[in-house]
Amino acid sequence: MEYLLIACFGAALFTFIFLSGRVLPSERWQMMASVPLFKNPDGMWQALNLTWYGGLSALAYTLATAVAVVLLGSVGMGILGLVLMVAGMLGLCIPAAKIVARLVEGKPNTLSVGGAAFVGIVVAPFVASGVVWLTGSGAVLPALAALAIAYAVGEGVGRLACLSFGCCYGRPVDTLPEPWKGIFSRWNVVFHGGTKKAAYAHDLCGRSLVPVQLMTAYLYCAAACLGMIFFAAESFSMAMIVPLVVTQVWRVLSEFFRADYRGEQKISAYQIMAGAGVLYGLVPALLLTAHDASVNFGQGLAALWNVPVLLLLQGVFLVVFLYTGRSSVTGSQIRFFVKEGEI
């Protein structure tokens, strides 16, 4: 049953990525809604934009949390441990996305998933050890493997948010040497709309760009599914190593295909953090043991269908959406009127 569930989950993920890649680069899929704040003297309302970037980021975090809950629950971690684990990791990683971006890029309204990931890799062994010690349930290595898999799912889906906002964009295809130019002339991303980051930051609206976001989404979700297979087979070291190595090594390599600002150095701070994260994360993966932990996905799914956990998932979605979905770099004006013909 475990492998069938993994296959269905993977098929749903890849279908969602494929369909998202076809529609999200368009101008229509950047703004989700505009909320009027105050009225201007000319009668127009100044509004706050709520973005699909925030909605998709919230979906990614919530899906990653749900995956972590199922995997942690499948190895016997109780509800208290699940809540503490998720709350501890998200409570540290969500603020880190903005803090690290500000330190590296010097911009107050930028978020960095790479920065959040590095912080998560560093603190995960301590959070997992603390939760296992406090609750007396579960084991550290399976918990770390579950977190690594959940992270790969979350960032894979989260890259679709970048497609919507036009950030984390790749280099123009016509600037690449062969054979890359030939490869990406057949598979690329074209952003539309002046409010996409690729447009206002580098004037790349309408140009064929390397589809870094889609490449990352497919690769990370594939690594997560492979990690789940190892997890189901109770090979917890490999279940942690595969998503950890794939995600962080690709972060180092993918930077060379990107055109957005990553700092002044040829090797960016994010690449250094990713490389250090791999070495750091391999230590517990190779040294810890699972203490005869067994996997039961049915038990994990039952842990998901629980009132505290469902409330936690709703809270994660809401907090992340409010944190990432309120656009600080775009604005809008709204005019309200009565449809005379509808009265």
PDB file of all heavy atoms in Angstrom, residues 73-95:
ATOM      1  N   GLY A  73       4.148  10.470  11.824  1.00  0.00           N
ATOM      2  CA  GLY A  73       3.129   9.629  12.444  1.00  0.00           C
ATOM      3  C   GLY A  73       3.281   8.170  12.081  1.00  0.00           C
ATOM      4  O   GLY A  73       2.951   7.279  12.880  1.00  0.00           O
ATOM      5  N   SER A  74       3.804   7.893  10.897  1.00  0.00           N
ATOM      6  CA  SER A  74       3.951   6.503  10.458  1.00  0.00           C
ATOM      7  C   SER A  74       5.040   5.758  11.214  1.00  0.00           C
ATOM      8  O   SER A  74       5.096   4.524  11.181  1.00  0.00           O
ATOM      9  CB  SER A  74       4.244   6.453   8.954  1.00  0.00           C
ATOM     10  OG  SER A  74       5.546   6.940   8.677  1.00  0.00           O
ATOM     11  N   VAL A  75       5.943   6.497  11.883  1.00  0.00           N
ATOM     12  CA  VAL A  75       6.975   5.843  12.696  1.00  0.00           C
ATOM     13  C   VAL A  75       6.689   6.000  14.186  1.00  0.00           C
ATOM     14  O   VAL A  75       7.583   5.820  15.027  1.00  0.00           O
ATOM     15  CB  VAL A  75       8.384   6.382  12.352  1.00  0.00           C
ATOM     16  CG1 VAL A  75       8.791   5.939  10.962  1.00  0.00           C
ATOM     17  CG2 VAL A  75       8.449   7.901  12.466  1.00  0.00           C
ATOM     18  N   GLY A  76       5.446   6.361  14.523  1.00  0.00           N
ATOM     19  CA  GLY A  76       5.029   6.308  15.913  1.00  0.00           C
ATOM     20  C   GLY A  76       5.123   7.576  16.716  1.00  0.00           C
ATOM     21  O   GLY A  76       4.935   7.538  17.943  1.00  0.00           O
ATOM     22  N   MET A  77       5.394   8.714  16.094  1.00  0.00           N
ATOM     23  CA  MET A  77       5.431   9.954  16.860  1.00  0.00           C
ATOM     24  C   MET A  77       4.008  10.390  17.183  1.00  0.00           C
ATOM     25  O   MET A  77       3.134  10.403  16.313  1.00  0.00           O
ATOM     26  CB  MET A  77       6.167  11.052  16.091  1.00  0.00           C
ATOM     27  CG  MET A  77       6.295  12.354  16.871  1.00  0.00           C
ATOM     28  SD  MET A  77       7.476  13.522  16.149  1.00  0.00           S
ATOM     29  CE  MET A  77       9.035  12.759  16.638  1.00  0.00           C
ATOM     30  N   GLY A  78       3.765  10.766  18.434  1.00  0.00           N
ATOM     31  CA  GLY A  78       2.438  11.157  18.866  1.00  0.00           C
ATOM     32  C   GLY A  78       2.056  12.561  18.436  1.00  0.00           C
ATOM     33  O   GLY A  78       2.869  13.308  17.877  1.00  0.00           O
ATOM     34  N   ILE A  79       0.809  12.933  18.708  1.00  0.00           N
ATOM     35  CA  ILE A  79       0.285  14.223  18.287  1.00  0.00           C
ATOM     36  C   ILE A  79       1.088  15.378  18.878  1.00  0.00           C
ATOM     37  O   ILE A  79       1.422  16.350  18.182  1.00  0.00           O
ATOM     38  CB  ILE A  79      -1.202  14.361  18.675  1.00  0.00           C
ATOM     39  CG1 ILE A  79      -2.036  13.300  17.945  1.00  0.00           C
ATOM     40  CG2 ILE A  79      -1.718  15.758  18.341  1.00  0.00           C
ATOM     41  CD1 ILE A  79      -1.984  13.398  16.446  1.00  0.00           C
ATOM     42  N   LEU A  80       1.442  15.287  20.150  1.00  0.00           N
ATOM     43  CA  LEU A  80       2.216  16.356  20.778  1.00  0.00           C
ATOM     44  C   LEU A  80       3.554  16.529  20.081  1.00  0.00           C
ATOM     45  O   LEU A  80       3.984  17.654  19.790  1.00  0.00           O
ATOM     46  CB  LEU A  80       2.422  16.057  22.261  1.00  0.00           C
ATOM     47  CG  LEU A  80       3.285  17.069  23.033  1.00  0.00           C
ATOM     48  CD1 LEU A  80       2.666  18.455  22.980  1.00  0.00           C
ATOM     49  CD2 LEU A  80       3.493  16.605  24.483  1.00  0.00           C
ATOM     50  N   GLY A  81       4.213  15.410  19.804  1.00  0.00           N
ATOM     51  CA  GLY A  81       5.497  15.479  19.106  1.00  0.00           C
ATOM     52  C   GLY A  81       5.362  16.075  17.712  1.00  0.00           C
ATOM     53  O   GLY A  81       6.202  16.869  17.282  1.00  0.00           O
ATOM     54  N   LEU A  82       4.293  15.700  17.001  1.00  0.00           N
ATOM     55  CA  LEU A  82       4.064  16.239  15.658  1.00  0.00           C
ATOM     56  C   LEU A  82       3.910  17.757  15.705  1.00  0.00           C
ATOM     57  O   LEU A  82       4.516  18.482  14.907  1.00  0.00           O
ATOM     58  CB  LEU A  82       2.809  15.616  15.047  1.00  0.00           C
ATOM     59  CG  LEU A  82       2.847  14.110  14.758  1.00  0.00           C
ATOM     60  CD1 LEU A  82       1.481  13.624  14.284  1.00  0.00           C
ATOM     61  CD2 LEU A  82       3.905  13.801  13.711  1.00  0.00           C
ATOM     62  N   VAL A  83       3.091  18.224  16.631  1.00  0.00           N
ATOM     63  CA  VAL A  83       2.843  19.665  16.722  1.00  0.00           C
ATOM     64  C   VAL A  83       4.110  20.413  17.109  1.00  0.00           C
ATOM     65  O   VAL A  83       4.447  21.454  16.529  1.00  0.00           O
ATOM     66  CB  VAL A  83       1.708  19.947  17.724  1.00  0.00           C
ATOM     67  CG1 VAL A  83       1.556  21.443  17.958  1.00  0.00           C
ATOM     68  CG2 VAL A  83       0.393  19.351  17.227  1.00  0.00           C
ATOM     69  N   LEU A  84       4.853  19.885  18.094  1.00  0.00           N
ATOM     70  CA  LEU A  84       6.082  20.537  18.521  1.00  0.00           C
ATOM     71  C   LEU A  84       7.127  20.557  17.407  1.00  0.00           C
ATOM     72  O   LEU A  84       7.815  21.565  17.207  1.00  0.00           O
ATOM     73  CB  LEU A  84       6.660  19.818  19.745  1.00  0.00           C
ATOM     74  CG  LEU A  84       5.888  19.969  21.056  1.00  0.00           C
ATOM     75  CD1 LEU A  84       6.519  19.106  22.145  1.00  0.00           C
ATOM     76  CD2 LEU A  84       5.858  21.430  21.496  1.00  0.00           C
ATOM     77  N   MET A  85       7.241  19.450  16.675  1.00  0.00           N
ATOM     78  CA  MET A  85       8.221  19.372  15.600  1.00  0.00           C
ATOM     79  C   MET A  85       7.911  20.394  14.520  1.00  0.00           C
ATOM     80  O   MET A  85       8.783  21.157  14.078  1.00  0.00           O
ATOM     81  CB  MET A  85       8.225  17.961  15.004  1.00  0.00           C
ATOM     82  CG  MET A  85       9.279  17.733  13.937  1.00  0.00           C
ATOM     83  SD  MET A  85      10.914  17.460  14.638  1.00  0.00           S
ATOM     84  CE  MET A  85      10.691  15.804  15.295  1.00  0.00           C
ATOM     85  N   VAL A  86       6.673  20.405  14.071  1.00  0.00           N
ATOM     86  CA  VAL A  86       6.285  21.312  12.985  1.00  0.00           C
ATOM     87  C   VAL A  86       6.383  22.771  13.439  1.00  0.00           C
ATOM     88  O   VAL A  86       6.926  23.630  12.726  1.00  0.00           O
ATOM     89  CB  VAL A  86       4.864  20.980  12.503  1.00  0.00           C
ATOM     90  CG1 VAL A  86       4.357  22.049  11.546  1.00  0.00           C
ATOM     91  CG2 VAL A  86       4.846  19.620  11.820  1.00  0.00           C
ATOM     92  N   ALA A  87       5.857  23.054  14.626  1.00  0.00           N
ATOM     93  CA  ALA A  87       5.883  24.428  15.125  1.00  0.00           C
ATOM     94  C   ALA A  87       7.317  24.915  15.317  1.00  0.00           C
ATOM     95  O   ALA A  87       7.643  26.077  14.995  1.00  0.00           O
ATOM     96  CB  ALA A  87       5.110  24.529  16.437  1.00  0.00           C
ATOM     97  N   GLY A  88       8.184  24.051  15.824  1.00  0.00           N
ATOM     98  CA  GLY A  88       9.570  24.440  16.030  1.00  0.00           C
ATOM     99  C   GLY A  88      10.291  24.748  14.736  1.00  0.00           C
ATOM    100  O   GLY A  88      10.976  25.772  14.617  1.00  0.00           O
ATOM    101  N   MET A  89      10.133  23.884  13.720  1.00  0.00           N
ATOM    102  CA  MET A  89      10.807  24.093  12.445  1.00  0.00           C
ATOM    103  C   MET A  89      10.261  25.309  11.708  1.00  0.00           C
ATOM    104  O   MET A  89      11.031  26.156  11.222  1.00  0.00           O
ATOM    105  CB  MET A  89      10.670  22.844  11.569  1.00  0.00           C
ATOM    106  CG  MET A  89      11.424  21.627  12.096  1.00  0.00           C
ATOM    107  SD  MET A  89      13.210  21.910  12.284  1.00  0.00           S
ATOM    108  CE  MET A  89      13.676  22.297  10.600  1.00  0.00           C
ATOM    109  N   LEU A  90       8.939  25.423  11.626  1.00  0.00           N
ATOM    110  CA  LEU A  90       8.361  26.562  10.908  1.00  0.00           C
ATOM    111  C   LEU A  90       8.616  27.873  11.645  1.00  0.00           C
ATOM    112  O   LEU A  90       8.846  28.917  11.016  1.00  0.00           O
ATOM    113  CB  LEU A  90       6.861  26.356  10.707  1.00  0.00           C
ATOM    114  CG  LEU A  90       6.460  25.210   9.775  1.00  0.00           C
ATOM    115  CD1 LEU A  90       4.944  25.149   9.643  1.00  0.00           C
ATOM    116  CD2 LEU A  90       7.101  25.374   8.403  1.00  0.00           C
ATOM    117  N   GLY A  91       8.573  27.826  12.958  1.00  0.00           N
ATOM    118  CA  GLY A  91       8.813  29.039  13.737  1.00  0.00           C
ATOM    119  C   GLY A  91      10.212  29.594  13.539  1.00  0.00           C
ATOM    120  O   GLY A  91      10.433  30.804  13.679  1.00  0.00           O
ATOM    121  N   LEU A  92      11.157  28.735  13.209  1.00  0.00           N
ATOM    122  CA  LEU A  92      12.523  29.190  12.953  1.00  0.00           C
ATOM    123  C   LEU A  92      12.763  29.511  11.477  1.00  0.00           C
ATOM    124  O   LEU A  92      13.459  30.470  11.144  1.00  0.00           O
ATOM    125  CB  LEU A  92      13.516  28.115  13.408  1.00  0.00           C
ATOM    126  CG  LEU A  92      13.592  27.873  14.921  1.00  0.00           C
ATOM    127  CD1 LEU A  92      14.383  26.609  15.229  1.00  0.00           C
ATOM    128  CD2 LEU A  92      14.229  29.075  15.621  1.00  0.00           C
ATOM    129  N   CYS A  93      12.176  28.709  10.583  1.00  0.00           N
ATOM    130  CA  CYS A  93      12.498  28.831   9.158  1.00  0.00           C
ATOM    131  C   CYS A  93      11.738  29.954   8.454  1.00  0.00           C
ATOM    132  O   CYS A  93      12.289  30.599   7.551  1.00  0.00           O
ATOM    133  CB  CYS A  93      12.219  27.501   8.447  1.00  0.00           C
ATOM    134  SG  CYS A  93      13.334  26.180   8.950  1.00  0.00           S
ATOM    135  N   ILE A  94      10.487  30.186   8.832  1.00  0.00           N
ATOM    136  CA  ILE A  94       9.715  31.232   8.139  1.00  0.00           C
ATOM    137  C   ILE A  94      10.353  32.611   8.331  1.00  0.00           C
ATOM    138  O   ILE A  94      10.575  33.336   7.359  1.00  0.00           O
ATOM    139  CB  ILE A  94       8.244  31.210   8.595  1.00  0.00           C
ATOM    140  CG1 ILE A  94       7.557  29.933   8.095  1.00  0.00           C
ATOM    141  CG2 ILE A  94       7.501  32.429   8.067  1.00  0.00           C
ATOM    142  CD1 ILE A  94       6.117  29.778   8.562  1.00  0.00           C
ATOM    143  N   PRO A  95      10.679  33.037   9.558  1.00  0.00           N
ATOM    144  CA  PRO A  95      11.355  34.346   9.700  1.00  0.00           C
ATOM    145  C   PRO A  95      12.735  34.355   9.045  1.00  0.00           C
ATOM    146  O   PRO A  95      13.182  35.391   8.551  1.00  0.00           O
ATOM    147  CB  PRO A  95      11.466  34.521  11.215  1.00  0.00           C
ATOM    148  CG  PRO A  95      10.462  33.593  11.799  1.00  0.00           C
ATOM    149  CD  PRO A  95      10.388  32.431  10.865  1.00  0.00           C
TER     150      PRO A  95
END
